[in-house]
Amino acid sequence: QVQLVESGGGLVQAGGSLRLSCAVSGSSFSINAMGWYRQAPGKQRDLVARITSGGGTTYADSVKGRFTISRDNAKNTVYLQMDTLKPEDTAVYYCNAEVRSWFVDTTYNTYWGQGTQVTVSS
């Protein structure tokens, strides 16, 4: 059973930093792309950043230059370093990963974490 467990959210003042982590657990699987999304109250869930298995990255325009996504393949973990945070970054942040279980799946399936709250005060 593949699970994604997030950590690192919290309350921070504008201009501050937070680092989110998301670990994929289970057995006998491969991970393709991993990413972070966020959803503010009353809004849709939007992509924040994405990283491929080869390390290629994509960022939303609103976070370019402030956020950095990275991954540790040995730990099956993706990170989101968030610097120079703004009140408009306040949202629930979700990680996702494209995972293929070796003995079950023939294709990659997308799994989501439970979400972690990030609140930036002005």
Side-chain angles (χ1 to χ4, degrees):
Q1 182 76 12
V2 174
Q3 289 187 320
L4 276 62
V5 179
E6 303 162 2
S7 61
L11 173 64
V12 65
Q13 289 188 331
S17 297
L18 283 174
R19 189 192 194 208
L20 305 183
S21 300
C22 174
V24 181
S25 65
S27 62
S28 305
F29 59 84
S30 300
I31 303 174
N32 193 16
M34 306 178 81
W36 290 94
Y37 288 70
R38 67 186 181 187
Q39 187 169 19
K43 295 188 176 182
Q44 66 181 20
R45 188 177 299 186
D46 292 324
L47 174 69
V48 175
R50 184 176 183 269
I51 185 167
T52 67
S53 57
T57 57
T58 303
Y59 293 94
D61 288 342
S62 59
V63 306
K64 284 181 181 177
R66 300 188 299 121
F67 290 10
T68 303
I69 189 171
S70 61
R71 62 191 286 173
D72 184 334
N73 291 328
K75 296 182 178 179
N76 296 321
T77 299
V78 62
Y79 305 97
L80 186 68
Q81 177 66 42
M82 305 185 292
D83 299 318
T84 319
L85 281 160
K86 303 176 181 179
E88 50 264 45
D89 294 318
T90 295
V92 178
Y93 283 70
Y94 299 89
C95 70
N96 80 351
E98 298 169 0
V99 181
R100 182 176 69 85
S101 297
W102 296 344
F103 306 113
V104 177
D105 299 325
T106 57
T107 61
Y108 285 90
N109 296 302
T110 299
Y111 293 84
W112 291 88
Q114 79 282 3
T116 185
Q117 177 70 46
V118 171
T119 303
V120 184
S121 63
S122 57

